[in-house]
Coordinates of all heavy atoms in Angstrom, one line a residue:
M1040 N -41.1 -72.3 -102.9 CA -41.2 -71.6 -101.6 C -41.9 -72.5 -100.6 O -42.7 -73.2 -100.9 CB -41.9 -70.2 -101.8 CG -41.2 -69.2 -102.6 SD -41.9 -67.5 -102.3 CE -43.5 -67.7 -102.9
D1041 N -41.4 -72.3 -99.4 CA -42.1 -73.0 -98.3 C -42.7 -72.0 -97.3 O -42.2 -71.0 -97.1 CB -41.0 -73.8 -97.5 CG -40.6 -75.1 -98.2 OD1 -41.5 -75.7 -98.9 OD2 -39.5 -75.5 -98.1
L1042 N -43.8 -72.5 -96.8 CA -44.5 -71.7 -95.8 C -44.0 -72.2 -94.4 O -44.3 -73.3 -94.0 CB -46.0 -71.9 -95.9 CG -46.9 -71.0 -95.2 CD1 -46.7 -69.5 -95.6 CD2 -48.4 -71.3 -95.5
V1043 N -43.2 -71.4 -93.7 CA -42.7 -71.8 -92.5 C -42.9 -70.8 -91.4 O -43.1 -69.6 -91.6 CB -41.1 -72.1 -92.6 CG1 -40.9 -73.1 -93.7 CG2 -40.4 -70.8 -92.9
C1044 N -42.7 -71.3 -90.1 CA -42.8 -70.4 -89.0 C -41.4 -69.8 -88.8 O -40.5 -70.5 -88.6 CB -43.2 -71.2 -87.8 SG -43.1 -70.3 -86.3
P1045 N -41.3 -68.5 -88.8 CA -40.0 -67.8 -88.7 C -39.4 -68.0 -87.3 O -38.2 -68.0 -87.1 CB -40.3 -66.4 -89.0 CG -41.7 -66.2 -88.7 CD -42.4 -67.5 -89.0
V1046 N -40.2 -68.2 -86.3 CA -39.7 -68.4 -85.0 C -39.2 -69.8 -84.8 O -38.1 -70.0 -84.2 CB -40.8 -68.1 -83.9 CG1 -40.3 -68.3 -82.5 CG2 -41.3 -66.6 -84.1
C1047 N -39.9 -70.8 -85.3 CA -39.4 -72.2 -85.2 C -38.1 -72.3 -86.0 O -37.3 -73.1 -85.6 CB -40.4 -73.2 -85.8 SG -41.9 -73.5 -84.8
N1048 N -38.0 -71.6 -87.0 CA -36.8 -71.7 -87.9 C -35.7 -70.7 -87.5 O -34.7 -70.6 -88.3 CB -37.2 -71.6 -89.3 CG -38.0 -72.8 -89.8 OD1 -37.4 -73.7 -90.3 ND2 -39.3 -72.8 -89.7
G1049 N -35.9 -70.0 -86.4 CA -34.8 -69.2 -86.0 C -34.5 -67.9 -86.8 O -33.5 -67.4 -86.7
L1050 N -35.5 -67.6 -87.6 CA -35.3 -66.4 -88.5 C -35.4 -65.1 -87.7 O -34.7 -64.2 -87.9 CB -36.3 -66.4 -89.6 CG -36.3 -67.6 -90.6 CD1 -37.3 -67.5 -91.7 CD2 -34.9 -67.7 -91.2
Y1051 N -36.3 -65.1 -86.8 CA -36.4 -64.0 -85.8 C -37.1 -64.4 -84.6 O -37.8 -65.5 -84.5 CB -36.9 -62.7 -86.4 CG -38.4 -62.8 -87.0 CD1 -39.4 -62.8 -86.1 CD2 -38.6 -62.8 -88.4 CE1 -40.8 -62.8 -86.6 CE2 -39.9 -62.9 -88.8 CZ -41.0 -62.9 -88.0 OH -42.2 -62.9 -88.4
E1052 N -37.0 -63.6 -83.6 CA -37.8 -63.8 -82.3 C -38.8 -62.7 -82.2 O -38.5 -61.6 -82.7 CB -36.8 -63.8 -81.1 CG -35.8 -64.9 -81.2 CD -34.8 -64.9 -80.0 OE1 -34.9 -64.0 -79.2 OE2 -33.9 -65.7 -79.9
I1053 N -39.8 -63.0 -81.5 CA -40.8 -61.9 -81.2 C -40.8 -61.6 -79.7 O -40.4 -62.5 -78.9 CB -42.2 -62.2 -81.7 CG1 -42.8 -63.5 -81.0 CG2 -42.2 -62.4 -83.2 CD1 -44.3 -63.6 -81.2
N1054 N -41.1 -60.4 -79.4 CA -41.1 -60.1 -78.0 C -42.6 -60.2 -77.5 O -43.5 -59.6 -78.1 CB -40.7 -58.6 -77.8 CG -39.2 -58.5 -77.9 OD1 -38.4 -59.3 -77.5 ND2 -38.7 -57.4 -78.6
V1055 N -42.7 -61.0 -76.4 CA -44.0 -61.1 -75.8 C -43.9 -60.7 -74.4 O -43.0 -61.1 -73.7 CB -44.5 -62.6 -75.9 CG1 -45.8 -62.8 -75.3 CG2 -44.6 -63.1 -77.4
T1056 N -44.8 -59.9 -74.0 CA -44.8 -59.3 -72.6 C -45.8 -60.0 -71.7 O -46.9 -60.2 -72.1 CB -45.0 -57.8 -72.6 OG1 -44.1 -57.2 -73.5 CG2 -44.8 -57.2 -71.3
C1057 N -45.4 -60.4 -70.5 CA -46.3 -61.0 -69.6 C -47.5 -60.1 -69.2 O -47.3 -58.9 -69.0 CB -45.5 -61.4 -68.3 SG -46.6 -62.1 -67.1
D1058 N -48.7 -60.6 -69.2 CA -49.8 -59.8 -68.9 C -49.9 -59.4 -67.4 O -50.6 -58.5 -67.1 CB -51.1 -60.6 -69.2 CG -51.3 -61.0 -70.6 OD1 -50.8 -60.2 -71.5 OD2 -51.8 -62.0 -70.9
I1059 N -49.2 -60.1 -66.6 CA -49.3 -60.0 -65.2 C -48.2 -59.1 -64.6 O -48.4 -58.1 -63.9 CB -49.3 -61.3 -64.4 CG1 -50.6 -62.1 -64.9 CG2 -49.2 -61.1 -62.9 CD1 -50.6 -63.5 -64.5
C1060 N -46.9 -59.4 -65.0 CA -45.8 -58.7 -64.4 C -45.0 -57.9 -65.5 O -44.0 -57.3 -65.1 CB -44.9 -59.5 -63.6 SG -44.2 -60.9 -64.5
F1061 N -45.4 -58.0 -66.7 CA -44.8 -57.2 -67.8 C -43.3 -57.5 -68.1 O -42.6 -56.7 -68.6 CB -45.0 -55.7 -67.5 CG -46.5 -55.4 -67.4 CD1 -47.0 -55.1 -66.1 CD2 -47.3 -55.4 -68.4 CE1 -48.3 -54.8 -65.9 CE2 -48.7 -55.1 -68.3 CZ -49.2 -54.9 -67.0
K1062 N -42.9 -58.7 -67.7 CA -41.5 -59.2 -68.1 C -41.6 -59.7 -69.5 O -42.7 -60.2 -69.9 CB -41.1 -60.3 -67.1 CG -41.0 -59.8 -65.7 CD -39.6 -59.5 -65.3 CE -39.6 -59.2 -63.8 NZ -38.6 -58.2 -63.4
N1063 N -40.5 -59.9 -70.1 CA -40.4 -60.5 -71.4 C -40.6 -62.0 -71.2 O -40.0 -62.6 -70.3 CB -39.1 -60.3 -72.1 CG -39.1 -59.0 -72.9 OD1 -40.1 -58.4 -73.2 ND2 -37.9 -58.5 -73.2
M1064 N -41.5 -62.6 -72.0 CA -41.7 -64.0 -71.9 C -40.8 -64.8 -72.8 O -40.3 -64.3 -73.7 CB -43.2 -64.3 -72.2 CG -44.2 -63.5 -71.3 SD -45.9 -63.8 -71.7 CE -46.3 -65.3 -70.8
I1065 N -40.6 -66.1 -72.4 CA -39.7 -67.0 -73.1 C -40.5 -67.9 -74.0 O -41.5 -68.5 -73.6 CB -38.8 -67.8 -72.1 CG1 -37.9 -66.8 -71.4 CG2 -38.0 -68.8 -72.8 CD1 -37.3 -67.4 -70.1
D1066 N -40.0 -68.1 -75.2 CA -40.6 -69.0 -76.2 C -40.4 -70.5 -75.7 O -39.3 -70.9 -75.6 CB -40.0 -68.8 -77.6 CG -40.6 -69.7 -78.6 OD1 -41.7 -70.3 -78.4 OD2 -40.0 -69.9 -79.7
K1067 N -41.5 -71.2 -75.5 CA -41.3 -72.6 -75.1 C -41.5 -73.5 -76.2 O -41.6 -74.7 -76.1 CB -42.4 -72.9 -74.0 CG -42.2 -72.0 -72.8 CD -41.0 -72.2 -72.0 CE -41.0 -73.4 -71.1 NZ -39.8 -73.5 -70.3
G1068 N -41.7 -73.0 -77.4 CA -41.9 -73.8 -78.6 C -43.3 -73.9 -79.1 O -44.3 -73.4 -78.4
P1069 N -43.5 -74.5 -80.2 CA -44.9 -74.6 -80.8 C -45.8 -75.5 -79.9 O -45.3 -76.4 -79.3 CB -44.7 -75.1 -82.2 CG -43.4 -75.7 -82.2 CD -42.5 -75.0 -81.1
V1070 N -47.0 -75.2 -79.8 CA -48.0 -75.9 -78.9 C -48.1 -77.4 -79.2 O -48.3 -78.2 -78.4 CB -49.3 -75.2 -78.9 CG1 -50.1 -75.4 -80.3 CG2 -50.2 -75.6 -77.8
V1071 N -47.8 -77.7 -80.5 CA -47.9 -79.2 -80.9 C -46.9 -80.0 -80.1 O -47.1 -81.2 -79.9 CB -47.8 -79.4 -82.4 CG1 -49.0 -78.9 -83.1 CG2 -46.5 -78.7 -82.9
N1072 N -45.8 -79.4 -79.7 CA -44.8 -80.1 -78.9 C -45.3 -80.6 -77.5 O -44.7 -81.5 -76.9 CB -43.6 -79.2 -78.6 CG -42.7 -79.1 -79.9 OD1 -43.0 -79.6 -80.9 ND2 -41.7 -78.3 -79.8
Y1073 N -46.4 -80.1 -77.1 CA -47.0 -80.4 -75.8 C -48.0 -81.4 -75.9 O -48.6 -81.8 -74.9 CB -47.5 -79.1 -75.1 CG -46.3 -78.2 -74.8 CD1 -45.8 -77.3 -75.7 CD2 -45.7 -78.3 -73.5 CE1 -44.7 -76.6 -75.4 CE2 -44.6 -77.5 -73.2 CZ -44.1 -76.7 -74.2 OH -43.0 -75.9 -73.9
L1074 N -48.3 -81.9 -77.1 CA -49.4 -82.9 -77.2 C -48.7 -84.3 -77.3 O -47.7 -84.4 -78.0 CB -50.2 -82.6 -78.5 CG -50.8 -81.2 -78.5 CD1 -51.4 -80.9 -79.8 CD2 -51.9 -81.2 -77.4
D1075 N -49.2 -85.2 -76.6 CA -48.6 -86.5 -76.6 C -48.8 -87.4 -77.8 O -48.0 -88.1 -78.2 CB -49.2 -87.3 -75.4 CG -48.7 -86.7 -74.1 OD1 -47.7 -86.0 -74.1 OD2 -49.5 -86.8 -73.1
D1076 N -50.0 -87.3 -78.4 CA -50.4 -88.3 -79.3 C -50.3 -87.8 -80.8 O -51.3 -87.8 -81.5 CB -51.8 -88.7 -79.0 CG -52.8 -87.6 -79.0 OD1 -52.3 -86.4 -78.9 OD2 -54.0 -87.8 -79.1
Y1077 N -49.2 -87.3 -81.1 CA -49.0 -87.0 -82.5 C -47.6 -87.5 -83.0 O -46.8 -87.8 -82.2 CB -49.1 -85.5 -82.8 CG -47.8 -84.8 -82.5 CD1 -47.0 -84.3 -83.6 CD2 -47.5 -84.5 -81.3 CE1 -45.9 -83.7 -83.3 CE2 -46.3 -83.8 -81.0 CZ -45.5 -83.4 -82.0 OH -44.3 -82.7 -81.8
S1078 N -47.5 -87.7 -84.3 CA -46.3 -88.2 -84.9 C -45.5 -86.9 -85.4 O -46.1 -86.2 -86.2 CB -46.5 -89.2 -86.0 OG -47.3 -90.2 -85.5
P1079 N -44.3 -86.8 -85.0 CA -43.5 -85.6 -85.4 C -43.5 -85.4 -86.9 O -43.6 -84.2 -87.4 CB -42.1 -85.9 -84.9 CG -42.3 -86.8 -83.8 CD -43.5 -87.7 -84.2
Y1080 N -43.4 -86.4 -87.7 CA -43.3 -86.2 -89.1 C -44.7 -85.8 -89.8 O -44.7 -85.4 -90.9 CB -42.8 -87.5 -89.8 CG -43.6 -88.7 -89.6 CD1 -44.7 -89.1 -90.3 CD2 -43.3 -89.6 -88.5 CE1 -45.5 -90.2 -90.1 CE2 -44.0 -90.7 -88.3 CZ -45.1 -91.0 -89.0 OH -45.8 -92.2 -88.8
L1081 N -45.7 -85.8 -89.0 CA -47.0 -85.3 -89.5 C -47.3 -83.8 -89.0 O -48.4 -83.4 -89.0 CB -48.2 -86.2 -89.1 CG -48.2 -87.5 -89.8 CD1 -49.3 -88.4 -89.2 CD2 -48.4 -87.4 -91.3
L1082 N -46.2 -83.3 -88.4 CA -46.4 -82.0 -87.7 C -47.3 -81.0 -88.4 O -48.2 -80.5 -87.8 CB -45.0 -81.4 -87.4 CG -45.1 -80.1 -86.5 CD1 -44.7 -80.5 -85.1 CD2 -44.1 -79.1 -87.0
D1083 N -47.0 -80.7 -89.6 CA -47.7 -79.6 -90.3 C -49.2 -80.0 -90.4 O -50.1 -79.1 -90.2 CB -47.1 -79.3 -91.6 CG -45.9 -78.3 -91.4 OD1 -45.9 -77.7 -90.4 OD2 -45.1 -78.2 -92.3
D1084 N -49.5 -81.2 -90.9 CA -50.9 -81.6 -91.0 C -51.7 -81.5 -89.7 O -52.7 -81.0 -89.6 CB -51.0 -83.0 -91.6 CG -50.8 -83.0 -93.1 OD1 -50.7 -81.9 -93.6 OD2 -50.6 -84.1 -93.6
I1085 N -51.1 -82.2 -88.7 CA -51.8 -82.3 -87.4 C -51.9 -80.9 -86.8 O -52.9 -80.6 -86.2 CB -50.9 -83.2 -86.5 CG1 -50.9 -84.6 -87.2 CG2 -51.5 -83.3 -85.1 CD1 -52.0 -85.5 -86.8
A1086 N -50.9 -80.1 -86.9 CA -50.9 -78.8 -86.3 C -52.1 -78.0 -86.7 O -52.7 -77.3 -85.9 CB -49.6 -78.0 -86.6
A1087 N -52.5 -78.1 -87.9 CA -53.6 -77.3 -88.4 C -54.9 -77.8 -87.7 O -55.8 -77.0 -87.6 CB -53.7 -77.5 -89.9
K1088 N -54.9 -79.0 -87.2 CA -56.1 -79.5 -86.6 C -56.1 -79.3 -85.1 O -57.1 -78.9 -84.5 CB -56.3 -81.0 -87.0 CG -56.5 -81.2 -88.5 CD -56.5 -82.7 -88.8 CE -56.4 -82.8 -90.4 NZ -55.6 -83.9 -90.8
V1089 N -55.1 -79.8 -84.5 CA -55.1 -79.9 -83.0 C -55.0 -78.6 -82.3 O -55.6 -78.4 -81.2 CB -54.1 -80.8 -82.4 CG1 -54.3 -82.3 -82.9 CG2 -52.7 -80.4 -82.8
D1090 N -54.3 -77.6 -82.9 CA -54.2 -76.4 -82.1 C -55.3 -75.3 -82.5 O -55.3 -74.3 -82.0 CB -52.8 -75.8 -82.2 CG -52.4 -75.4 -83.6 OD1 -53.3 -75.3 -84.4 OD2 -51.2 -75.1 -83.8
G1091 N -56.2 -75.7 -83.4 CA -57.3 -74.9 -83.7 C -57.0 -73.7 -84.6 O -57.8 -72.8 -84.8
A1092 N -55.7 -73.6 -85.0 CA -55.3 -72.4 -85.8 C -55.2 -72.8 -87.2 O -54.9 -73.9 -87.5 CB -53.9 -71.9 -85.3
P1093 N -55.4 -71.9 -88.1 CA -55.2 -72.1 -89.5 C -53.8 -72.5 -89.8 O -52.9 -72.1 -89.1 CB -55.7 -70.8 -90.2 CG -55.7 -69.8 -89.1 CD -55.8 -70.5 -87.8
S1094 N -53.6 -73.2 -90.9 CA -52.3 -73.7 -91.2 C -51.2 -72.6 -91.5 O -50.0 -72.9 -91.5 CB -52.3 -74.7 -92.4 OG -52.8 -74.0 -93.5
Y1095 N -51.7 -71.4 -91.8 CA -50.7 -70.4 -92.0 C -50.3 -69.7 -90.7 O -49.5 -68.7 -90.7 CB -51.2 -69.3 -93.0 CG -52.5 -68.7 -92.6 CD1 -52.5 -67.6 -91.8 CD2 -53.7 -69.2 -93.0 CE1 -53.8 -67.0 -91.4 CE2 -54.9 -68.7 -92.7 CZ -54.9 -67.6 -91.9 OH -56.1 -67.0 -91.6
K1096 N -50.7 -70.3 -89.5 CA -50.3 -69.8 -88.2 C -49.6 -70.9 -87.5 O -49.9 -72.1 -87.6 CB -51.5 -69.4 -87.4 CG -52.4 -68.3 -87.9 CD -51.9 -67.0 -87.5 CE -53.0 -65.9 -87.8 NZ -52.5 -64.6 -87.6
C1097 N -48.6 -70.5 -86.7 CA -47.9 -71.4 -85.8 C -48.2 -70.9 -84.4 O -47.9 -69.8 -84.1 CB -46.4 -71.5 -86.1 SG -45.5 -72.7 -85.2
V1098 N -48.7 -71.8 -83.6 CA -49.1 -71.3 -82.2 C -48.0 -71.7 -81.2 O -47.6 -72.9 -81.1 CB -50.4 -71.9 -81.8 CG1 -50.8 -71.4 -80.4 CG2 -51.5 -71.6 -82.8
H1099 N -47.4 -70.7 -80.6 CA -46.3 -71.0 -79.7 C -46.8 -70.7 -78.2 O -47.6 -69.9 -78.0 CB -45.1 -70.0 -79.9 CG -44.3 -70.4 -81.1 ND1 -42.9 -70.7 -80.9 CD2 -44.6 -70.7 -82.4 CE1 -42.4 -71.1 -82.1 NE2 -43.4 -71.1 -83.0
I1100 N -46.2 -71.5 -77.3 CA -46.4 -71.2 -75.9 C -45.3 -70.3 -75.4 O -44.1 -70.5 -75.7 CB -46.3 -72.5 -75.1 CG1 -47.3 -73.5 -75.6 CG2 -46.4 -72.2 -73.6 CD1 -48.7 -73.4 -75.0
Y1101 N -45.6 -69.2 -74.9 CA -44.7 -68.3 -74.2 C -44.9 -68.3 -72.7 O -46.1 -68.3 -72.3 CB -44.8 -66.8 -74.8 CG -44.1 -66.7 -76.1 CD1 -44.7 -67.1 -77.3 CD2 -42.9 -66.1 -76.1 CE1 -44.0 -67.0 -78.5 CE2 -42.2 -65.9 -77.3 CZ -42.8 -66.4 -78.5 OH -42.1 -66.3 -79.7
Q1102 N -43.8 -68.4 -72.0 CA -44.0 -68.5 -70.5 C -43.1 -67.4 -69.9 O -42.0 -67.1 -70.3 CB -43.5 -69.8 -70.0 CG -43.8 -70.0 -68.5 CD -43.4 -71.4 -68.0 OE1 -42.3 -71.8 -68.2 NE2 -44.4 -72.0 -67.4
C1103 N -43.7 -66.8 -68.8 CA -43.0 -65.7 -68.1 C -42.0 -66.4 -67.1 O -42.4 -67.3 -66.4 CB -44.0 -64.9 -67.3 SG -43.2 -63.7 -66.3
P1104 N -40.7 -66.0 -67.2 CA -39.7 -66.6 -66.3 C -39.9 -66.1 -64.8 O -39.4 -66.8 -63.9 CB -38.4 -66.1 -66.8 CG -38.8 -64.8 -67.5 CD -40.1 -65.0 -68.0
N1105 N -40.7 -65.1 -64.6 CA -40.9 -64.6 -63.3 C -42.1 -65.2 -62.6 O -41.9 -65.8 -61.5 CB -41.1 -63.0 -63.4 CG -41.1 -62.3 -62.1 OD1 -40.2 -62.6 -61.3 ND2 -42.0 -61.5 -61.9
C1106 N -43.3 -65.1 -63.2 CA -44.4 -65.6 -62.5 C -45.0 -66.9 -63.1 O -46.0 -67.4 -62.6 CB -45.5 -64.5 -62.5 SG -46.3 -64.3 -64.1
K1107 N -44.4 -67.4 -64.1 CA -44.7 -68.7 -64.7 C -46.1 -68.7 -65.5 O -46.6 -69.7 -65.9 CB -44.8 -69.9 -63.7 CG -43.5 -70.1 -62.9 CD -42.3 -70.3 -63.9 CE -41.0 -70.5 -63.0 NZ -39.8 -70.4 -63.9
H1108 N -46.6 -67.5 -65.6 CA -47.8 -67.3 -66.5 C -47.4 -67.7 -67.9 O -46.4 -67.4 -68.4 CB -48.3 -65.9 -66.4 CG -49.4 -65.5 -67.3 ND1 -50.7 -66.1 -67.1 CD2 -49.5 -64.7 -68.4 CE1 -51.4 -65.6 -68.1 NE2 -50.8 -64.8 -68.9
D1109 N -48.4 -68.5 -68.6 CA -48.1 -68.7 -70.0 C -49.2 -68.4 -70.8 O -50.4 -68.3 -70.4 CB -47.6 -70.2 -70.2 CG -48.6 -71.2 -69.8 OD1 -49.8 -71.0 -70.0 OD2 -48.2 -72.2 -69.2
K1110 N -49.0 -68.2 -72.1 CA -50.1 -67.9 -73.1 C -49.6 -68.3 -74.4 O -48.5 -68.6 -74.7 CB -50.4 -66.4 -73.0 CG -49.4 -65.5 -73.5 CD -49.9 -64.0 -73.5 CE -48.9 -63.0 -74.0 NZ -49.4 -61.6 -73.9
R1111 N -50.7 -68.5 -75.3 CA -50.4 -68.9 -76.6 C -50.4 -67.7 -77.5 O -51.1 -66.8 -77.4 CB -51.6 -69.8 -77.1 CG -51.7 -71.1 -76.4 CD -52.9 -71.9 -76.9 NE -52.9 -73.2 -76.2 CZ -53.5 -74.3 -76.8 NH1 -54.2 -74.2 -77.9 NH2 -53.5 -75.4 -76.2
V1112 N -49.4 -67.7 -78.4 CA -49.2 -66.6 -79.4 C -49.2 -67.2 -80.8 O -48.5 -68.1 -81.1 CB -47.9 -65.9 -79.1 CG1 -47.7 -64.7 -80.1 CG2 -47.9 -65.3 -77.7
E1113 N -50.1 -66.7 -81.6 CA -50.1 -67.1 -83.0 C -49.1 -66.3 -83.8 O -49.1 -65.1 -83.8 CB -51.5 -66.9 -83.6 CG -52.6 -67.8 -83.0 CD -53.9 -67.6 -83.7 OE1 -54.0 -66.8 -84.6 OE2 -54.8 -68.4 -83.3
I1114 N -48.2 -67.1 -84.5 CA -47.2 -66.5 -85.3 C -47.5 -66.7 -86.8 O -47.9 -67.9 -87.2 CB -45.9 -67.2 -85.0 CG1 -45.7 -67.3 -83.5 CG2 -44.7 -66.6 -85.8 CD1 -44.6 -66.7 -82.9
D1115 N -47.5 -65.7 -87.5 CA -47.8 -65.9 -89.0 C -46.6 -66.6 -89.7 O -45.4 -66.1 -89.5 CB -47.9 -64.5 -89.6 CG -49.2 -63.8 -89.2 OD1 -50.2 -64.5 -89.1 OD2 -49.2 -62.6 -89.0
R1116 N -46.9 -67.6 -90.4 CA -45.9 -68.3 -91.2 C -45.6 -67.4 -92.4 O -46.4 -66.6 -92.8 CB -46.4 -69.7 -91.7 CG -46.6 -70.7 -90.6 CD -47.1 -72.0 -91.1 NE -47.7 -72.8 -90.2 CZ -47.0 -73.8 -89.5 NH1 -45.8 -74.0 -89.8 NH2 -47.7 -74.5 -88.6
I1117 N -44.3 -67.5 -92.9 CA -43.9 -66.7 -94.0 C -43.4 -67.6 -95.1 O -42.9 -68.7 -94.8 CB -42.9 -65.7 -93.6 CG1 -41.7 -66.3 -93.0 CG2 -43.5 -64.6 -92.7 CD1 -40.5 -65.4 -92.8
Y1118 N -43.4 -67.1 -96.3 CA -42.8 -67.8 -97.4 C -41.3 -67.6 -97.5 O -40.9 -66.4 -97.4 CB -43.4 -67.4 -98.7 CG -44.8 -68.1 -98.9 CD1 -46.0 -67.3 -98.7 CD2 -44.9 -69.4 -99.3 CE1 -47.2 -67.9 -98.9 CE2 -46.1 -70.0 -99.5 CZ -47.3 -69.2 -99.3 OH -48.5 -69.8 -99.5
I1119 N -40.5 -68.6 -97.6 CA -39.1 -68.4 -97.8 C -38.6 -69.1 -99.0 O -39.3 -70.0 -99.5 CB -38.2 -68.9 -96.6 CG1 -38.5 -70.4 -96.3 CG2 -38.5 -68.0 -95.3 CD1 -37.4 -70.9 -95.3
Ligands
ZN446 ZN1 -43.4 -71.8 -84.8
ZN447 ZN1 -45.2 -62.7 -65.3

């Protein structure tokens, strides 16, 4: 079994609502994609360190298409 983020892997989407205007926010991908100095093939190891979340969480950036507000959402990884 692998511990994976269901959102990164397209297994399902979660609904995140903007704190400001209450629109549905759009998944901009895991936060590690926004860091310059990492190697993609080390994604899992590095992710556990740089985003401050435990390795069983995947932190995604969600952005509101209306007001551009963004926030981090921790997604629980699941075993598949
Ligand atoms: Zn993810
Ligand atoms: Zn908004």
